[in-house]
Amino acid sequence: MSRILPYLLSGISVGGQYALISIGYTMVYGILRLINFAHGDIFTVAGLLMVYAAATMPLYISAPLVIILTIILGVLVEKVAYKPLRTAPRMSVMISAIGMSYLLQNTMWYLTGGLAKKYPTLPWISDKINVGGTTTSRVTLITPFLTVILVIFLVMLIKKTKIGMAMRAASRDFETAQLMGVKVDSVVSFTFIVGSGLAAVGSMLYFTNYATVTPVVGAMPGLKAFVAAVFGGIGSIPGAVIGGFIIGICESFIKGASWTTFSDAFTFGLLIVILGVKPTGLFGESLTEKV
Amino acid sequence: MLKIENLHVSYGGIRALRGISLEVPDGKIVTLIGANGAGKSTMLRTISGLVKAESGSIKWNDKELVGLSIDKVIASGIAMAPEGRRVFSDMTVLENLRMGAYLRNDKDGIEKDIQRVYELFPRLKERNWQLAGTLSGGEQQMLAVGRALTSRPQLIMLDEPSLGLAPLVVQDIFAIIREINKTGTTVLLIEQNANMALKTADLAYVLETGNITMSGTGAELLVNEKVKEAYLGKHKN
Ligand SMILES: Nc1ncnc2c1ncn2[C@@H]1O[C@H](COP(=O)(O)OP(=O)(O)OP(=O)(O)O)[C@@H](O)[C@H]1O
Ligand SMILES: [Mg+2]
């Protein structure tokens, strides 16, 4: 047990971080049937913003500020890159998403000069603690709890509130939702607000474990979160969360067995297997349902 | 009153409506009949704002609807039950009815109107918590009509509410349409079932490939030879 525990802990923690990012992918897909390729870059931008914000402000200001700025960026990306293409063929929107991803990356290169920026040590969150004989940082413990709380909150929001109901209606049938008076643009903006906000929280938890942030460092966790979303069934929030945890835990054990080199290969191997065996993922809606 | 003048609508190059003019007076049941592809659904979709008009005007209580966003049209007192039911399949019956009242904020009023829908369609009340996707076709059609009612519209537009229903259920649906109309709601009804539609309607228009070719009271068109031949399946001897 004591040999497994550290890997399990770190797996659950990384899994929670993947889960927070993957919700953004899955929600946007649910509404727009679009893979938001820029989502991983928004996650990275949140990391960089924290580098700058934490240099001049205490955590209780910098953290909310970074979340708000990331949300604004996410909504802006939607308005600029996706909204004008609402009725365009899906391929055009996808190309726009890829373009947006590179735009964000290159802007970060430009602003940082391509140098790795030192990620700040966040007080309290980064502190070392002792769990069952293993030393780990507090973030490892906080992440799964925070993730689960945020997800429960989000699921309640979607089940119980008016905007949540509008989201569910729009994700099923855009047109009929509009006939009920739902403003699709507000629903889409709301989706990007939630997705980007959670990605910002995820980025704080994720980068705390790393020394530096570079413009491309978010690509890998972004991709893995995307695989998590597909694994869980893209469009499904519980699916994305469970997918995130499973991938995080599996990776951690593979690393623990000193097959670190294969941990990424495992994730993408998993993607290929799911797409082959069950393209709709664990909880995905069957594709024929959307009329 | 809804007053449409010289309305043109195209899909790409296809001219679906070619200069339509018609009126839907307050408190009446008006029906639009026509063959498949005549442009009936296009008409309703253009009124609600789902489809953009190319030219012409749609005046609703003297206010221009062309160019308004869909939610503004709905907020102005128009509701639509679209072709093919289109209920939200993974929501319950009750949630579907709540969606119909999406733009309203008067909780008590909404509850009252949901109860009224349940009185019109007792089947829906029994199935309050059932997912709409698991309802039978007829029940889904009732829900689609009920959902359009919970916005408490002045004008309700129904696109082929009898499609695919058993004859007895069709009778029920038409009885309910009359019932809805009696409480003061104006009805604009599209039907393949021209016989039932003309019997029910105060005023009727015949649409052929994007043009209105005939109009009159329901009773007039019901005995019109051309209508009989083309839409009522009765041949001249
Ligand atoms: N989205 C669209 N894109 C291109 N053409 C369309 C579109 N929707 C309808 N049309 C065309 O416009 C014409 C009128 O269609 P519409 O759906 O209004 O007919 P309808 O009278 O409702 O027919 P039905 O009785 O079969 O429902 C048809 O020729 C149809 O093919
Ligand atoms: Mg039609």
Side-chain angles (χ1 to χ4, degrees), chain B residues 46-189:
Chain B
T46 311
I47 296 170
S48 63
L50 281 170
V51 174
K52 295 226 164 354
E54 205 174 6
S55 64
S57 104
I58 304 174
K59 287 256 167 56
W60 168 237
N61 297 336
D62 296 324
K63 207 174 96 189
E64 182 59 56
L65 293 187
V66 172
L68 285 190
S69 62
I70 306 167
D71 58 289
K72 295 257 164 57
V73 175
I74 304 302
S76 75
I78 296 178
M80 170 161 155
E83 188 171 14
R85 294 146 200 173
R86 306 277 285 262
V87 294
F88 298 112
S89 56
D90 56 355
M91 289 187 181
T92 64
V93 167
L94 182 61
E95 281 176 321
N96 267 275
L97 294 177
R98 291 242 161 87
M99 271 315 290
Y102 183 77
L103 287 177
R104 293 175 62 182
N105 288 314
D106 54 326
K107 260 194 161 165
D108 298 341
I110 294 173
E111 280 315 308
K112 226 181 257 167
D113 283 339
I114 288 178
Q115 289 312 319
R116 191 180 143 229
V117 169
Y118 283 155
E119 277 162 32
L120 286 173
F121 303 103
R123 290 274 280 270
L124 293 182
K125 185 171 190 178
E126 292 162 21
R127 287 156 207 285
N128 209 349
W129 291 104
Q130 194 171 325
L131 289 183
T134 64
L135 294 174
S136 78
E139 289 160 355
Q140 288 190 9
Q141 190 63 68
M142 294 173 194
L143 182 56
V145 175
R147 187 180 60 182
L149 281 174
T150 50
S151 67
R152 195 185 284 165
Q154 246 178 291
L155 168 66
I156 186 170
M157 306 195 292
L158 307 171
D159 195 340
E160 301 201 32
S162 73
L163 189 73
L165 302 186
L168 268 179
V169 187
V170 174
Q171 300 268 350
D172 286 350
I173 289 270
F174 274 94
I176 284 164
I177 291 171
R178 269 181 238 117
E179 184 75 32
I180 292 168
N181 176 248
K182 261 192 219 137
T183 57
T185 310
T186 309
V187 179
L188 178 52
L189 172 69

Side-chain angles (χ1 to χ4, degrees), chain A residues 162 168 172-173 175, chain B residues 45 86 90 95 102 104:
Chain A
K162 215 167 165 180
R168 281 188 289 149
R172 273 293 142 179
D173 188 339
E175 233 180 57
Chain B
R45 294 164 60 81
R86 306 277 285 262
D90 56 355
E95 281 176 321
Y102 183 77
R104 293 175 62 182

Side-chain angles (χ1 to χ4, degrees), chain B residues 11 14 16 34-43 83 159-160 192 207:
Chain B
Y11 296 106
I14 305 162
N36 291 117
K40 305 181 297 296
S41 299
T42 302
M43 180 86 228
E83 188 171 14
D159 195 340
E160 301 201 32
Q192 292 279 339
L207 193 61

